[in-house]
Amino acid sequence: MRITHEADYAIRVAFCLAECGGKLGAKEISERTGVTLRFALKILRKLIQAEMVRSYKGANGGYELAKEPAEISMGAIIECIDGPITINHCLCNEFECTRVQSKSICNFRKVFGSVNTMIRDELYRVTLDQFLH
């Protein structure tokens, strides 16, 4: 499993908003995070759809977190951008294994599933507020 650049940048964007504690314009978010404006806007749209960020239009518009930093985890941000966290393709529902008759009896899948759960749980334990101060 590799976290994409987009998910990495989304974490930076969300942290930037947490650190600010209020509204910021897209241009300022872009400048503070080092993410291009175009890419920052794409990320912000996804974070808005996931109800992690709110947007405001007009002269006093901008973006702010829709939740407290303690309520936004790295895992939620990553899955918002990259989809479900999976360390191996055999854990995906649409995967058809050709080695065993049933995925439920595969020992490799059991190990991958266990490790995947540990990683996912840990990423969901880490919240934005842990990086503040």
Side-chain angles (χ1 to χ4, degrees):
M1 178 188 106
R2 173 175 263 169
I3 296 168
T4 64
H5 286 298
E6 185 177 3
D8 180 10
Y9 294 161
I11 292 167
R12 292 185 205 186
V13 166
F15 175 71
C16 176
L17 291 170
E19 194 172 42
C20 163
K23 279 191 275 184
L24 282 178
K27 186 176 182 212
E28 189 167 356
I29 293 169
S30 171
E31 290 169 356
R32 287 186 181 195
T33 60
V35 178
T36 67
L37 179 59
R38 185 170 176 235
F39 208 19
L41 288 167
K42 177 182 177 186
I43 289 166
L44 286 161
R45 277 192 300 276
K46 290 182 180 182
L47 294 174
I48 290 165
Q49 286 178 325
E51 299 180 351
M52 289 184 229
V53 170
R54 265 190 222 104
S55 68
Y56 300 90
K57 297 183 191 266
N60 293 321
Y63 300 87
E64 71 178 357
L65 291 182
K67 301 176 181 181
E68 292 297 317
E71 298 173 15
I72 300 175
S73 70
M74 288 179 69
I77 296 168
I78 292 165
E79 289 194 329
C80 160
I81 302 298
D82 289 346
I85 295 167
T86 54
I87 63 165
N88 189 294
H89 64 281
C90 78
L91 298 174
C92 299
N93 289 335
E94 60 274 358
F95 177 74
E96 292 296 325
C97 185
T98 58
R99 290 184 276 242
V100 293
Q101 289 180 335
S102 171
K103 290 190 260 188
S104 63
I105 63 169
C106 180
N107 289 327
F108 292 111
R109 188 173 195 277
K110 288 176 187 172
V111 171
F112 287 139
S114 175
V115 172
N116 196 86
T117 298
M118 288 187 289
I119 291 170
R120 188 176 185 277
D121 289 350
E122 191 59 31
L123 288 169
Y124 269 84
R125 268 193 272 290
V126 179
T127 55
L128 291 176
D129 66 310
Q130 294 172 333
F131 297 98
L132 298 173
H133 310 291

